[in-house]
């Protein structure tokens, strides 16, 4: 699975505390990326419950996932896109609940 980011995600990511970056990267490596690979192989697969992946209200095609329940809570928005016949994850925003203002 390939990942890409938006400029908004990149700016959000640069503002994250070092420990939050480490937690996000660990969750992506250990849980999210394998789930994306499974989804690419079988579109009927369900996301792991621990990620709490769900649609963002009012933003068609945009999903959210929870990567941390600690204070502040860690949220990221993303969309699954197809580029040259290949399924990819495009990260849109990362941070806390404020990312939902402009997902």
């Amino acid at each position: 699975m390939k990942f890409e980011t938006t400029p908004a995600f990149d700016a959000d990511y640069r503002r994250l505390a070092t420990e939050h970056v480490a937690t996000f990267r660990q969750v992506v490596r250990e849980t999210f990326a394998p789930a994306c690979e499974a989804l690419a192989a079988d579109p009927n697969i369900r996301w792991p419950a621990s990620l709490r992946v769900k649609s963002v209200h009012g933003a068609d095609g945009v999903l959210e996932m929870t990567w941390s329940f600690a204070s502040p809570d860690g949220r990221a928005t993303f969309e699954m896109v197809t580029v040259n016949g290949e399924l990819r994850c495009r990260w849109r925003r990362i941070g806390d609940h404020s990312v939902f203002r402009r997902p």
Side-chain angles (χ1 to χ4, degrees), residues 64-82:
E64 68 165 288
M65 64 92 101
T66 302
W67 52 268
S68 175
F69 292 99
S71 181
D73 63 333
R75 308 292 175 125
T77 62
F78 66 96
E79 59 190 329
M80 301 306 289
V81 297
T82 303

Side-chain angles (χ1 to χ4, degrees), residues 2-70:
K2 290 185 180 178
F3 296 92
E4 54 187 57
T5 61
T6 63
F9 179 91
D10 296 338
D12 293 342
Y13 189 85
R14 286 190 295 273
R15 287 190 293 270
L16 287 178
T18 304
E19 62 270 16
H20 296 150
V21 169
T23 301
F24 174 73
R25 292 175 61 96
Q26 179 181 1
V27 168
V28 168
R29 185 176 45 255
E30 294 176 3
T31 309
F32 188 81
C36 286
E37 292 292 342
L39 181 71
D42 180 1
N44 296 315
I45 204 87
R46 291 182 176 239
W47 291 99
S50 63
L51 296 175
R52 297 181 58 199
V53 172
K54 58 187 173 185
S55 297
V56 174
H57 182 72
D60 289 341
V62 179
L63 302 166
E64 68 165 288
M65 64 92 101
T66 302
W67 52 268
S68 175
F69 292 99

Side-chain angles (χ1 to χ4, degrees), residues 90-103:
R90 178 180 297 143
W91 293 109
R92 297 174 55 92
R93 300 294 309 274
I94 187 169
D96 57 20
H97 261 94
S98 65
V99 301
F100 298 127
R101 287 186 210 128
R102 299 186 75 188

